[in-house]
Amino acid sequence: MTDAAGLRITDLTVTYPGPRAAGLVGRRTPITAVDAVSLDVAPDETVALVGESGSGKSTIARAVVGLVAPSAGSIEFDGASLLNLRPRDQWARRNIAMIFQDPRSALNPRLSAAASISEAWEAHPDVAPEGVRRDQRRRRAAVVDLLAQVGLDPDVAGKRPTALSGGQCQRVSIARALALSPRLLICDEAVSALDVSVQAQVLKLLVSVREARSLSMLFITHDLGVVRQVADRVAVMRHGELVESADVHTLFTAPQHDYTRELLSAAVDLDVRS
Amino acid sequence: MTTMGLVQNPAPPAPLAPARARRTRVRRVVAALPIVVFGLYVVAAIIGPLFIDYSPVGGELDDRLLPPGSVLSDGGTALFGTDALGRDLFGQVVYGARTSVFIGTLVVLISALVGLAVGTVAGYRGGTTDLVASRVIDVLLAFPGILLAIVIAGVFDRSLAIVVIALSVTNWIGFARLSRSMAMSLRERDWVKSATVMGVRRRRIIARHILPFIAGPTFALATTEFAGAILAEASLSFLGLGLPSASVSWGQTIAAGKEYLASAWWISAIPGIALALLVICVGFTGDRLTRYFGRRR
Ligand SMILES: Nc1ncnc2c1ncn2[C@@H]1O[C@H](COP(=O)(O)OP(=O)(O)OP(=O)(O)O)[C@@H](O)[C@H]1O
Ligand SMILES: [Mg+2]
């Protein structure tokens, strides 16, 4: 139990209350979005989670960061369980940050980039850089430093999301995620809402940040081309189950499962056409 | 010939443009009118009584039932006439405005605070909290608001506090429903989720990521509910269930004039018009605010 560093998901099952069977009064038929999935992300490792829409990828991410409660299974980080945390123990999740898909709605439209970023420090004063809580100038310096790490100019600090481009917003989100020095970064389709050219830049940024801070990553995506560029290992999901998990090279050259082969050939078709 | 042509030819489009400009200006003024009138009422309510050097509830019986514009026995002019006890109606209208605006503000303030708190917490937390709040709201919705107010005001002695409570008991529901539904949809926004993931405390999430987005529409609703509260207070006072009879309220004045509708119409009509005009203007203002915040949402 304690030997495992990094993220360890064991037999994770998540069910949503489904629609009611018969109109207003029927019983709800629960939807099992994730069914007994076991998945590890070792330190320094990037695991890509692929699979068709609705296969339960985002649900796994949500369970890991505590947005949904699993109905069975366990989630541990460095050997400590992340489930059933009391509100005051939420700091246990501080090691894990998440980047969302829609760059704009991930930032509060009423707050400046600086306010969004420094909110993380207000929530976790213990890991905030020296003096950012009280000293305005230090806080600004720390924000500017983070912005520089994601390739943004200092003047972005005072801007609201509406005054930023999609790519800039996503960079601010990344800066905010880095504010607490996490060890695992979960990216749920973090680039798929962006322009193709911007996608490449943000992807590059994510990779360079990962190298610089030796982060582990859970990278959720539809795009198998991206997987090959960033991931060490790939986990393939279908209908809430994990069908195959292998390192990138093996998976692309010798897929074991029929469904994986289907996915790959579909991706190749797209490549040929474009 | 050529000179004539020159004189006649220039078909100037000039007059057209000022006409259009004038029309848009007229439209703008008309649109601003309700807000201006509403503002005048508020000003009258706040500083109007300072300019009235007599008691609105004291009068000479010699001066009873004088039509608007009459000269009183003490030499003053009764702009709006006098009632059956010789009391000046102008004074009653101005003091009545103060009562209406004061009670309306108090009711809306209390209702908005209670409704916002209940609705936001219920919508954000969901689960049992939401279930309990929703049931309470459903039950209260089953009573017509004014009926419940009449019952409460009828059971207790007449006082300002009872009127405010009686009107607030159902008034907060609108605020609760608005903020509940908005909080429910805001809760699903990614910025709320990412704050949750970062471990920002619930109270802070509500204050920073949810309430600012509910504030505008709530303000618009407050304006509309303000009109409703004023109307309801006048109704209670008309029925003799409102404020103590020593205070001045449009509802009481209207009630006092109902036996003289044929002979002295102004007693009921003038405060009635004052009430209707205020409610209409506040309603228009509320609609505009609702549309404004609806567009921004
Ligand atoms: N809040 C919810 N309530 C009920 N069912 C849900 C909810 N969220 C997701 N689901 C269901 O759970 C299943 C998995 O959804 P999930 O979002 O995890 O898929 P996904 O793999 O991320 O898909 P995509 O690639 O389109 O993002 C789907 O069948 C979906 O209908
Ligand atoms: Mg998803």
Side-chain angles (χ1 to χ4, degrees):
Chain A
M1 191 178 173
T2 46
D3 60 319
L7 180 71
R8 164 160 285 185
I9 300 171
T10 317
D11 288 331
L12 179 73
T13 302
V14 182
T15 52
Y16 289 111
R20 292 195 190 275
L24 285 174
V25 289
R27 284 170 55 109
R28 288 179 182 277
T29 37
I31 296 174
T32 303
V34 173
D35 194 1
V37 168
S38 296
L39 182 69
D40 291 358
V41 183
D44 277 337
E45 188 186 33
T46 295
V47 175
L49 199 54
V50 301
E52 65 193 357
S53 190
S55 55
K57 307 181 297 290
S58 297
T59 304
I60 289 183
R62 273 181 233 139
V64 171
V65 296
L67 288 173
V68 295
S71 48
S74 69
I75 304 174
E76 290 168 10
F77 193 82
D78 284 357
S81 174
L82 294 181
L83 298 182
N84 303 318
L85 293 177
R86 288 168 303 174
R88 93 175 81 113
D89 291 335
Q90 290 292 326
W91 57 266
R93 297 186 202 278
R94 196 192 61 217
N95 289 317
I96 303 172
M98 181 156 169
I99 314 270
F100 291 83
Q101 173 171 10
D102 182 357
R104 277 183 207 286
S105 77
L107 300 171
N108 184 334
R110 304 269 173 108
L111 295 183
S112 68
S116 283
I117 291 171
S118 45
E119 179 165 48
W121 296 324
E122 285 157 29
H124 297 284
D126 46 330
V127 285
E130 269 295 303
V132 290
R133 294 244 301 165
R134 260 157 289 131
D135 190 341
Q136 192 114 32
R137 209 168 318 135
R138 286 205 191 171
R139 179 160 61 224
R140 184 172 159 81
V143 166
V144 167
D145 178 44
L146 271 175
L147 288 176
Q149 290 181 40
V150 297
L152 290 173
D153 293 335
D155 65 314
V156 169
K159 289 187 178 162
R160 290 182 180 194
T162 40
L164 299 173
S165 71
Q168 283 176 317
C169 283
Q170 204 62 322
R171 284 169 193 265
V172 172
S173 290
I174 295 171
R176 178 179 58 180
L178 297 178
L180 293 178
S181 311
R183 314 239 318 272
L184 169 68
L185 198 58
I186 299 180
C187 303
D188 189 355
E189 316 261 8
V191 297
S192 50
L194 303 172
D195 262 13
V196 179
S197 59
V198 183
Q199 266 185 16
Q201 293 169 9
V202 172
L203 212 56
K204 224 189 224 162
L205 170 69
L206 282 171
V207 170
S208 77
V209 163
R210 177 188 68 184
E211 305 303 329
R213 298 184 167 233
S214 54
L215 297 173
S216 37
M217 245 187 193
L218 183 61
F219 198 91
I220 299 172
T221 182
H222 283 282
D223 190 340
L224 287 171
V226 169
V227 170
R228 220 191 295 222
Q229 289 171 43
V230 302
D232 303 313
R233 210 148 54 76
V234 188
V236 183
M237 287 197 65
R238 184 190 196 189
H239 300 325
E241 288 172 17
L242 199 67
V243 291
E244 184 167 359
S245 166
D247 74 66
V248 175
H249 186 72
T250 318
L251 189 109
F252 276 92
T253 50
Q256 295 299 304
H257 199 280
D258 285 346
Y259 177 66
T260 312
R261 246 168 262 147
E262 244 175 73
L263 266 186
L264 287 175
S265 66
V268 169
D269 281 355
L270 282 177
D271 280 351
V272 168
R273 236 174 283 150
S274 61
Chain B
M1 250 183 10
T2 44
T3 38
M4 267 181 72
L6 269 177
V7 172
Q8 282 175 346
N9 262 351
L16 215 157
R20 191 174 301 159
R22 207 176 311 132
R23 224 177 306 142
T24 44
R25 200 176 324 135
V26 165
R27 207 175 298 154
R28 283 241 298 280
V29 169
V30 168
L33 211 56
I35 298 172
V36 171
V37 174
F38 181 21
L40 287 178
Y41 269 96
V42 173
V43 170
I46 294 170
I47 64 167
L50 301 178
F51 294 97
I52 294 175
D53 53 358
Y54 52 87
S55 164
V57 289
E60 292 291 325
L61 277 179
D62 296 347
D63 296 330
R64 59 196 302 265
L65 299 177
L66 294 178
S70 305
V71 176
L72 297 172
S73 55
D74 65 358
T77 308
L79 204 58
F80 290 169
T82 61
D83 68 3
L85 298 173
R87 298 176 298 194
D88 177 47
L89 275 176
F90 182 75
Q92 293 193 37
V93 167
V94 171
Y95 274 89
R98 167 181 272 192
T99 305
S100 288
V101 170
F102 182 64
I103 289 186
T105 308
L106 220 54
V107 168
V108 163
L109 222 57
I110 292 172
S111 315
L113 285 180
V114 172
L116 209 56
V118 171
T120 308
V121 171
Y124 174 66
R125 297 196 58 168
T128 322
T129 318
D130 185 36
L131 205 72
V132 172
S134 306
R135 287 301 156 269
V136 171
I137 289 174
D138 287 346
V139 169
L140 279 176
L141 272 180
F143 295 95
I146 188 71
L147 212 61
L148 201 59
I150 287 173
V151 170
I152 293 172
V155 167
F156 296 94
D157 282 346
R158 291 163 71 168
S159 78
L160 178 86
I162 290 300
V163 170
V164 171
I165 290 170
L167 296 180
S168 304
V169 161
T170 49
N171 208 276
W172 64 275
I173 290 174
F175 294 97
R177 297 216 295 174
L178 173 75
S179 48
R180 173 174 175 265
S181 73
M182 288 197 72
M184 278 173 82
S185 73
L186 284 162
R187 177 179 68 176
E188 299 300 323
R189 297 302 192 83
D190 283 348
W191 72 77
V192 176
K193 287 185 183 168
S194 62
T196 313
V197 170
M198 283 193 306
V200 179
R201 284 173 200 284
R202 272 197 201 131
R203 213 175 300 166
R204 199 169 166 73
I205 290 181
I206 290 180
R208 212 171 186 204
H209 297 293
I210 292 190
L211 276 183
F213 299 88
I214 305 182
T218 295
F219 183 64
L221 180 65
T223 315
T224 317
E225 295 283 353
F226 179 76
I230 286 175
L231 210 53
E233 183 274 323
S235 311
L236 284 184
S237 293
F238 181 84
L239 294 173
L241 298 169
L243 296 175
S245 41
S247 45
V248 182
S249 157
W250 289 340
Q252 282 177 15
T253 311
I254 295 171
K258 67 178 187 286
E259 281 127 54
Y260 305 94
L261 284 177
S263 54
W265 54 266
W266 54 89
I267 305 176
S268 289
I270 288 178
I273 291 168
L275 175 64
L277 189 63
L278 175 57
V279 168
I280 290 170
C281 289
V282 172
F284 273 129
T285 310
D287 284 350
R288 278 202 53 198
L289 287 173
T290 307
R291 236 175 301 141
Y292 173 73
F293 287 114
R295 208 179 318 125
R296 282 199 358 169
R297 202 191 294 180

